[in-house]
Amino acid sequence: MNGPNLSAPLGRALAAAFATLLFVAPASGTATGAAPSPTPTPTPAPSSSGGGEAGGLDPRITEIMRKPEYRNAQWGLLQTGPDGGRAVHSMYPDQFFVPGSTAKLISVSGPWHTLGSEHRFVTPVHAVGDRSGSTLTGDLDLVAQGDLTMGGRTRPDGTVAYTDLDHTYANDFTGATLTPQDPLAGIDELARQVRASGITRVDGDVIVDSRLFAPDPVLDPTPTPLIINDNLIDLLTRPGDRAGDAARLDWRPKVAPYEVSSTVKTVAAGKPTDITVTATDGGTRLRLSGTIAADAQPLLRTSPVADPAAFGRVALIEALGRSGVEVTADPAGPNPVARLPRDYEGRPRVAAYTSPPYAQYAKLILKVSHNLGANLGICLMAVSTGSRQCEDGFPVLAGFLDEAGVDRGQLQLADGRGGNPADRATPAALVQMLAYWQRTPDARLFREALPILGVDGLLASNCRACPARGKVFGKTGAAVGADALNDRLAVGAITIAGYLDRGGGRFDPFYAGVNGASTPGPNTQDVVAIANDLAMIAAYLQEAPPTP
């Protein structure tokens, strides 16, 4: 049972990726038969202290916490009854911990509440100008509405597709895979609708109206009002038939003026796979170089789209051409925003793409730890107040947390993804957030949007044969950097928070996390082992006999 592997030794460049992605691999044992741990160090035994009233922890949990890599670390733990009240287990519940992507429990909950689980993004195209028969003398304006996928992941049944390791992490981890859907599906649908409206010629331009909100570089990755394929170009390399052959390359979405070439060669089976992507001409000329082993799995890399609005403009012009609509404007030209009208009153809507419900986007964000989508939620909350400034989303989030009964004084957030150095959260605050959802009609929908132990998302590879499989719903997080002084990895945080299925319809909110661990050396697999320890702690909590 093998999970994807980290692509290279972790250095400074990978610290940001680890900041919010907790990637766990199978344990050497299961929750009922784990491999022996190293001899415990003489540190105080963890206990159910810090405000809890329940008995002691499962000895397998305390054995994990006493491992040498946690000698200088701080553990936090909180498990309560379903309503978030009486503590079953509690260790430092009111102490700040680095949250990593467990912060997404907060940043996804805000827009979920603000927009509603059934909210759908409707992205219109307006005809601005004079129409004579099938000719529009004027412009087609696509008015971006903050749709996270624009149809690029939508299945025929209306659900949003995801893979356990998303393509947004492809440059940092091997094993990332693509969903089969066409990234341009929404754009193509808009083009077909324009043609169905009777327009066959646009004697003017196509413009992407991105005035919904202003991109905020403090949010990294930075959300934009129009997003196609997560604002990425996917580059998939497969080995040739034999050593010495040129590697095979495919890429998407194919939109001018992007051009992609490759000099990657196939090398003998077992040899290193090492591929570099070089971008020039504003990121529109991409060149892949390096090697791929003859027995290697397809390797995915990505390159960012520098100007999503200009990219969307060209994509729509090309899609219109495929649908039989001629546009006289030069596709390679700029996005002429100066031509946009003040508003669209009296300008007919000739097309509109309607997204899946927001709950489907929330599921994508939580299952794969989708950083762009989490940050987008901050901007969408700002838009709900009429603001174009993403930072105005935080007061909306604050108001929701007060309403939900979450002590926001026990949270520090500067983004939605959980990757800002200022981000902090206490176990108590996260458990309060989880308990809130238990009291809502969307309780099951929210719970099942989380990764499920041994089943899917970033917990898919854990505990596949243990009794807790399918009974832990948990959002994971991590913050890891390079300790250059000691030639090892500094594990700022590994965290997990969610629900334990205790049977009989009872789901206990829980949090487990460790701050300040370290690895013996620079091998990233040692970080995976720490992450796996957190998953196993969650499994052991679930397996414990239920309390009254």
Side-chain angles (χ1 to χ4, degrees), residues 41-319:
T41 54
T43 55
S47 64
S48 296
S49 60
E53 300 177 357
L57 290 168
D58 186 313
R60 296 172 297 181
I61 295 177
T62 58
E63 186 177 18
I64 288 173
M65 292 179 172
R66 288 178 166 181
K67 287 183 178 180
E69 48 265 50
Y70 308 125
R71 180 169 43 247
N72 305 116
Q74 175 65 64
W75 282 93
L77 183 70
L78 183 60
Q79 176 190 346
T80 72
D83 61 356
R86 186 183 66 84
V88 178
H89 295 296
S90 179
M91 294 175 59
Y92 302 104
D94 300 317
Q95 179 169 308
F96 272 135
F97 287 82
V98 177
S101 271
T102 54
K104 291 184 174 75
L105 294 169
I106 304 295
S107 62
V108 170
S109 294
W112 188 316
H113 176 267
T114 301
L115 301 174
S117 62
E118 292 299 316
H119 175 81
R120 296 174 186 265
F121 301 86
V122 180
T123 303
V125 174
H126 290 273
V128 180
D130 298 320
R131 181 167 171 182
S132 177
S134 62
T135 298
L136 172 67
T137 302
D139 303 326
L140 288 176
D141 292 358
L142 185 160
V143 186
Q145 297 295 310
D147 188 327
L148 179 57
T149 71
M150 277 301 294
R153 293 178 184 252
T154 305
R155 301 184 181 102
D157 65 358
T159 59
V160 171
Y162 60 90
T163 62
D164 292 332
L165 186 57
D166 192 61
H167 78 140
T168 54
Y169 288 105
N171 290 348
D172 303 307
F173 303 90
T174 58
T177 54
L178 296 171
T179 58
Q181 289 72 28
D182 181 357
L184 298 175
I187 296 296
D188 284 336
E189 174 61 23
L190 288 172
R192 286 191 292 268
Q193 291 185 31
V194 170
R195 178 63 183 85
S197 76
I199 296 174
T200 60
R201 177 180 172 85
V202 178
D203 192 4
D205 217 320
V206 170
I207 311 173
V208 171
D209 185 341
S210 290
R211 294 178 292 184
L212 184 69
F213 60 81
D216 185 347
V218 174
L219 301 176
D220 179 22
T222 302
T224 52
L226 180 68
I227 298 172
I228 298 174
N229 200 45
D230 300 312
N231 294 337
L232 295 172
I233 302 295
D234 295 319
L235 309 159
L236 188 64
T237 301
R238 294 181 173 88
D241 293 332
R242 60 185 63 84
D245 286 356
R248 299 181 177 94
L249 171 68
D250 194 12
W251 62 283
R252 69 176 205 182
K254 293 183 171 67
V255 173
Y258 280 76
E259 295 182 3
V260 180
S261 62
S262 174
T263 60
V264 177
K265 293 292 185 183
T266 306
V267 294
K271 293 291 185 180
T273 294
D274 186 9
I275 296 177
T276 299
V277 179
T278 303
T280 57
D281 291 349
T284 63
R285 299 293 184 272
L286 305 177
R287 181 175 179 272
L288 284 74
S289 59
T291 59
I292 184 168
D295 59 345
Q297 293 296 311
L299 182 69
L300 182 64
R301 291 286 183 263
T302 63
S303 187
V305 172
D307 188 339
F311 184 83
R313 172 185 175 271
V314 178
L316 182 54
I317 290 174
E318 293 179 345

Side-chain angles (χ1 to χ4, degrees), residues 1 28 68 91 126 172 186 224 246 329 332 335 356 379 397 460 496 546 548:
M1 181 172 62
S28 55
M91 294 175 59
H126 290 273
D172 303 307
T224 52
N335 187 42
C379 301
L397 181 58
I496 183 171

Side-chain angles (χ1 to χ4, degrees), residues 329-407:
D330 179 6
N335 187 42
V337 293
R339 296 167 61 106
L340 291 172
R342 177 176 297 181
D343 58 53
Y344 292 95
E345 184 177 356
R347 277 87 176 187
R349 190 174 82 171
V350 294
Y353 180 77
T354 302
S355 77
Y358 179 76
Q360 283 292 313
Y361 285 164
K363 185 175 184 179
L364 167 66
I365 295 166
L366 294 169
K367 290 288 188 185
V368 309
S369 208
H370 196 285
N371 293 324
L372 181 63
N375 281 343
L376 177 64
I378 303 297
C379 301
L380 295 176
M381 285 187 287
V383 169
S384 74
T385 71
S387 173
R388 295 186 64 248
Q389 306 304 315
C390 291
E391 64 184 16
D392 289 335
F394 286 103
V396 179
L397 181 58
F400 159 66
L401 293 173
D402 291 343
E403 179 183 338
V406 177
D407 182 0

Side-chain angles (χ1 to χ4, degrees), residues 427-441:
L430 293 176
V431 166
Q432 288 167 4
M433 184 78 270
L434 292 160
Y436 160 79
W437 283 108
Q438 303 257 67
R439 305 188 294 271
T440 73

